[in-house]
Amino acid sequence: MGRPISLRPRLLAIAERIVPHARVVDVGVDHARLPVYLAQQNITRRVVATDISGGPLARAAKMLELHRLLQEIALVQCDGLSAIIPEEVDTVVVAGMGGESIAEILRKAPWTKDKHLLLQPMTRVDRLLAFLGENAYALPVRTEISEGRRVYQMIEVGRENL
């Protein structure tokens, strides 16, 4: 499985909120550190990582190959959650995007109202929170995570759906 991977505080905060044996989709996979960590720690039953662009997926594939996890983590090229089967997911992670982008991904996938969401917007937290309220999502729980000089917001929604 390759050498164990470590996570920075903002991603570790997400990993710590994932319910054991959940089926997780990580939207906007980028470097694939979170999916690799989840697989190595046997936290999840299944992880699917998506990205709209081939470049990030190629980088993710290299990371999975390095850690011998190509068979354990599915990589899917799609816009947000467009290729995801709702019945095959318990938890949706969207981290590292602007709040407006995260809101748009959720708007296109209304089935996420019945899922556990772990959201980490880099900007426009207010827009994301407004979207969640206007669209009858469960009451969000906000947590601040310090990483160096930066403070990140994590928004958790729907844990009670599990």
Side-chain angles (χ1 to χ4, degrees):
M1 208 184 278
R3 61 181 165 68
I5 197 166
S6 61
L7 296 178
R8 290 188 168 171
R10 76 176 187 90
L11 291 179
L12 185 59
I14 291 172
E16 290 173 343
R17 295 303 300 158
I18 292 175
V19 174
H21 308 294
R23 299 168 300 169
V24 176
V25 60
D26 180 16
V27 179
V29 68
D30 194 24
H31 42 63
R33 293 185 70 82
L34 180 63
V36 167
Y37 181 87
L38 295 173
Q40 286 183 334
Q41 300 298 316
N42 293 313
I43 294 171
T44 56
R45 182 173 6 157
R46 179 171 186 255
V47 180
V48 175
T50 73
D51 207 287
I52 195 168
S53 301
L57 286 172
R59 285 191 299 278
K62 286 181 183 178
M63 178 72 97
L64 298 185
E65 185 175 11
L66 176 69
H67 292 279
R68 299 185 188 108
L69 291 168
L70 280 169
Q71 302 303 315
E72 284 79 12
I73 298 169
L75 297 175
V76 177
Q77 186 169 355
C78 66
D79 183 4
L81 294 160
S82 64
I84 301 301
I85 299 167
E87 295 78 21
E88 295 180 0
V89 174
D90 303 311
T91 302
V92 175
V93 174
V94 190
M97 297 180 203
E100 291 169 321
S101 296
I102 296 172
E104 183 61 15
I105 288 167
L106 298 177
R107 186 189 65 73
K108 292 178 180 177
W111 54 266
T112 57
K113 287 180 189 175
D114 298 327
K115 304 298 178 181
H116 179 215
L117 308 179
L118 291 163
L119 313 172
Q120 207 172 73
M122 298 292 109
T123 60
R124 304 310 309 252
V125 175
D126 58 329
R127 293 279 174 100
L128 177 56
L129 291 170
F131 169 84
L132 294 170
E134 292 163 5
N135 290 277
Y137 279 80
L139 188 64
V141 176
R142 291 175 65 177
T143 307
E144 289 187 347
I145 301 108
S146 295
E147 186 175 290
R149 293 185 175 156
R150 182 135 190 216
V151 176
Y152 296 92
Q153 298 287 318
M154 182 172 69
I155 299 168
E156 184 173 15
V157 180
R159 188 176 180 95
E160 65 279 357
N161 291 331
L162 297 177

